[in-house]
Amino acid sequence: MNRRHCAAAAITLVCALGLLTVPVQATAAPTPDSSPPPSASAPASAEKDLEKIREQIETLYRQAGAATDAYNLAEEQTKKQSGEIVKLAKAIVDGQARISELKDRAGAQAREQYRNGGLPPGAQLVLSNDPQLFLDGVNKVRTSQQANKTVLAELNRTQEDLETYTQDASSNWHKLETNRIKQAEAKKKINARIAAAEKLESQLEKKERARLRQLEQDAANRAQSAWLATRPAPNVAVSGATTAAGKAAVAFATAQIGKPYVWGATGPGSYDCSGLTSKAWAAAGRPIPRTSQEQWRLLPRIDIQDMRPGDLIIYHADASHVGMYVGDGAIVHSPRPGRHVTLAGAGSMKILGVVRPDR
């Protein structure tokens, strides 16, 4: 009887212990037939976290890219205004010198009249008794009167021009200061976004950074595959379809592969995205706007299916990135801080449209 009670108690204890230890065993050492334990989901969770970090970093760099475009545009406008101010300053100096010269001439004419007794030339002729002298004097009077009118007219015109130059200089100076403020604000935003992205990446372990880079590539590959699947592949340019200028632009851009991205840079040692495309087309003899947004706004647009090497693909809704199509569904571009000029899939980012500099 006691043995049966002991046996029953033992069985009950074993069953109870078994029930209590099932979750622990499943977590610590699952059997081959068991469902995936919570610890097995840790890599998946870490992967999701890395994907979120990748998206955050991508967003920060895109914001930095948009700010870079604003900075570059403000810089171009600042250079333009500075050049205009220099021209206007020279025009003002020249105008002042011309006014001084005209005043001297007007003063000389007044002094000449004073030396003639203060009488106007017409009155002096009436008082003359010599017919020949009278006739000669008529011509001199006409010439003198015309000279006086010319001097006075030019003096008035020069003074009006000088006032216009001064107003234009003031307006350009105001624009210059406005653009300098825009530059400073954009620079602050760029540095803040880049610093935030770099901080996120610096907090990762070496293996995580390597995995992050792989996730970036995977995302680009997925986007490229989706793009190719939803559209016929871009026509590969046949021999002769690309212009000589287009070929030269592609040759320049691809020769920069491996050089680092630096915001605001236009070479020769580093480039931002539009710095690369603008320099490439300048090297091909076709200067184009400096920024991706201005390239999108001002250059002729074409259908994406009609792309040929040398055309520029503008990316994102705010036109904040640009790459150059090189054929076979690929672009050469300068991606972002921390990266280098490289080849990538033309559809690896969201395409806004395509422009052709030599259309």
Side-chain angles (χ1 to χ4, degrees), residues 136-157:
D136 292 341
V138 169
N139 291 330
K140 289 181 179 179
V141 168
R142 288 174 178 171
T143 302
S144 176
Q145 289 175 337
Q146 186 61 40
N148 287 339
K149 289 180 180 178
T150 300
V151 169
L152 290 175
E154 187 173 355
L155 180 60
N156 289 333
R157 185 171 62 252

Side-chain angles (χ1 to χ4, degrees), residues 276-345:
L276 176 65
T277 54
S278 60
K279 279 297 181 181
W281 272 102
R286 293 292 187 96
I288 63 174
R290 165 67 177 89
T291 70
S292 59
Q293 292 176 343
E294 290 296 281
Q295 289 168 7
W296 173 243
R297 187 173 72 88
L298 298 174
L299 296 178
R301 300 178 186 181
I302 63 166
D303 190 273
I304 196 168
Q305 301 307 319
D306 297 328
M307 282 193 302
R308 67 188 186 198
D311 290 342
L312 305 181
I313 304 180
I314 309 298
Y315 293 95
H316 310 309
D318 58 359
S320 57
H321 190 70
V322 60
M324 180 179 291
Y325 185 61
V326 296
D328 295 323
I331 60 166
V332 58
H333 73 143
S334 187
R336 66 166 177 80
R339 300 291 184 260
H340 297 74
V341 177
T342 187
L343 294 174

Side-chain angles (χ1 to χ4, degrees), residues 72-299:
N72 290 337
L73 180 59
E75 183 179 44
E76 287 295 294
Q77 291 173 337
T78 296
K79 288 179 181 177
K80 180 180 179 182
Q81 259 91 56
S82 295
E84 288 296 322
I85 288 173
V86 170
K87 290 179 183 177
L88 288 168
K90 185 178 184 305
I92 289 171
V93 171
D94 292 344
Q96 289 172 335
R98 183 61 178 157
I99 286 174
S100 179
E101 179 187 346
L102 291 170
K103 284 182 176 179
D104 287 345
R105 285 173 58 183
Q109 291 170 349
R111 288 191 295 273
E112 179 65 22
Q113 183 176 334
Y114 178 77
R115 283 195 294 270
N116 290 329
L119 293 173
Q124 294 177 34
L125 285 175
V126 171
L127 296 175
S128 174
N129 294 322
D130 187 337
Q132 185 60 45
L133 181 62
F134 179 84
L135 293 176
D136 292 341
V138 169
N139 291 330
K140 289 181 179 179
V141 168
R142 288 174 178 171
T143 302
S144 176
Q145 289 175 337
Q146 186 61 40
N148 287 339
K149 289 180 180 178
T150 300
V151 169
L152 290 175
E154 187 173 355
L155 180 60
N156 289 333
R157 185 171 62 252
T158 304
Q159 286 176 328
E160 290 174 357
D161 289 344
L162 194 59
E163 290 176 4
T164 301
Y165 295 152
T166 303
Q167 291 172 358
D168 288 347
S170 176
S171 175
N172 276 278
W173 183 262
H174 177 72
K175 292 177 182 177
L176 179 67
E177 290 305 304
T178 299
N179 283 316
R180 282 177 176 166
I181 292 171
K182 288 180 180 178
Q183 274 185 278
E185 291 174 346
K187 183 176 182 180
K188 184 178 179 181
K189 185 178 291 185
I190 293 165
N191 289 333
R193 299 300 186 273
I194 292 175
E198 289 176 342
K199 183 178 180 180
L200 276 174
E201 197 163 351
S202 69
Q203 292 171 343
L204 300 174
E205 298 293 335
K206 184 177 180 180
K207 288 183 179 180
E208 290 175 321
R209 287 197 295 271
R211 181 57 186 155
L212 182 67
R213 187 67 179 266
Q214 184 59 51
L215 288 174
E216 290 177 359
Q217 187 59 53
D218 291 345
N221 291 341
R222 285 195 303 272
Q224 175 75 351
S225 297
W227 177 65
L228 293 175
T230 55
R231 292 181 176 83
N235 297 323
V236 178
V238 296
S239 177
T242 305
T243 63
K247 290 178 181 177
V250 169
F252 180 94
T254 52
Q256 313 312 308
I257 289 175
K259 293 183 179 180
Y261 176 105
V262 173
W263 68 265
T266 57
S270 58
Y271 298 88
D272 62 19
C273 66
S274 57
L276 176 65
T277 54
S278 60
K279 279 297 181 181
W281 272 102
R286 293 292 187 96
I288 63 174
R290 165 67 177 89
T291 70
S292 59
Q293 292 176 343
E294 290 296 281
Q295 289 168 7
W296 173 243
R297 187 173 72 88
L298 298 174
L299 296 178

